[in-house]
Structure formats: structure tokens, C-alpha cells
Amino acid sequence: MGKTKIISTLGKVALNAVAPDVLEQGTKMLNNQLEKRKEYIKIPDVKSVDIEDAKATLDKYNFNHSEVPVQPDAKYANAKPNTIVKIQPKENTSVAPNTFVKMYYVDEQTIISSKILVQEAENAKASKKTKAARSNPKCNRNYFKRICQHR
């Protein structure tokens, strides 16, 4: 018998001795997870919902939760005040009933600050265009012609 054949035979014997235990343990783990997930529920979608309504919805499902204000951002400039803009874990995720859910909301001050950010970005963009036009000799001549015509 060659070395390869001996190693192959020993491997098969060892696999047959260990495989049933491994398979049994894997089956138990899988069954435990499936049993545990029977109780899981989906997180309701409360985005764009008023904070108080969102709290009531999560309370109805017995979720633990907190409300966290978001930082100003251009995407919140047109949001409704006191509404949920994001939740973690994400909506429609299946989780255990006692899962902790963070609700991120936008308030009036965040909206005002977000509008200021948008205005500042627009001003910076306009300023950049003006600088680019002034540095271009053709645009510069036209710019000064227009100024001179108005005087």
C-alpha cells in the first residue's frame, strides 16, 4: 500500500468518526437559531413620521428606543421639523422584540442651520464662477465692457 492510499484511508476513517458529531452539533445550532427567530419582528418604517407618532409605534411593538437629533446637513434643509429621518437598525429588519432602536430626527434649529449651509454652498459656487471668469482674459474684457457701459 502506498503512502497516498494509507493517508486517504486514514482520512476517511477519521471523517466517518467525527462527521456525525459535527453534523449533529450543526443541526442543533441551526434549530436553536430558527426557534429563536420565530419571535423576531420587523422594525416598522417610521421615517418621515412625527417623533411622537414614531415613539408610539415603537412602543406598540415593545422596542426600546431613543431619539437623537441629527447634525445640520444640506439634505435636511427642506425637511419637516420634528420628523424622523433615519432609524437604526434599518426599517423592515427582523429583530428580537427587545431590540434597541435609535431614531434620528430633525428639529427646527437643524433645518435653519441646514438652509444656511445650502446658502453658503451656493455662494461659494457663485464666487468660484466669478473668480474663474475674471481670470479668463476674454471674459475679463467683456466684464469690463459691461461695467463701462453702465457708467
Side-chain angles (χ1 to χ4, degrees):
M1 210 183 231
K3 283 184 180 180
T4 307
K5 184 119 176 151
I6 292 172
I7 292 173
S8 175
T9 305
L10 286 174
K12 287 178 186 177
V13 169
L15 183 61
N16 287 335
V18 175
D21 290 338
V22 172
L23 185 60
E24 185 179 333
Q25 286 178 346
T27 303
K28 281 182 183 177
M29 287 175 39
L30 182 61
N31 287 336
N32 287 341
Q33 284 299 316
L34 290 173
E35 188 64 33
K36 185 177 176 184
R37 290 177 186 253
K38 282 182 181 178
E39 298 173 7
Y40 279 23
I41 54 176
K42 288 187 177 184
I43 294 179
D45 187 359
V46 292
K47 286 195 309 190
S48 303
V49 174
D50 179 75
I51 292 174
E52 295 305 317
D53 293 340
K55 283 185 201 178
T57 301
L58 292 181
D59 285 341
K60 186 169 91 175
Y61 290 96
N62 295 321
F63 285 117
N64 298 313
H65 56 81
S66 69
E67 300 78 42
V68 181
V70 294
Q71 295 297 311
D73 192 300
K75 63 185 172 187
Y76 303 130
N78 296 319
K80 292 181 184 176
N82 299 319
T83 56
I84 305 300
V85 292
K86 177 182 170 185
I87 59 173
Q88 274 185 323
K90 289 186 176 186
E91 63 278 356
N92 296 318
T93 303
S94 292
V95 295
N98 58 353
T99 298
F100 189 83
V101 178
K102 281 187 182 180
M103 296 186 292
Y104 295 88
Y105 70 96
V106 61
D107 60 10
E108 191 68 43
Q109 185 58 46
T110 303
I111 294 170
I112 292 168
S113 299
S114 297
K115 287 180 179 181
I116 291 170
L117 287 175
V118 168
Q119 188 61 48
E120 288 173 351
E122 288 173 359
N123 291 345
K125 188 175 179 180
S127 176
K128 191 174 180 180
K129 282 185 179 180
T130 303
K131 285 180 184 177
R134 286 184 183 162
S135 65
N136 184 336
K138 287 184 180 179
C139 291
N140 220 353
R141 280 191 296 248
N142 292 334
Y143 175 75
F144 286 115
K145 281 182 186 177
R146 281 184 279 165
I147 291 176
C148 293
Q149 288 173 355
H150 291 294
R151 286 186 178 181

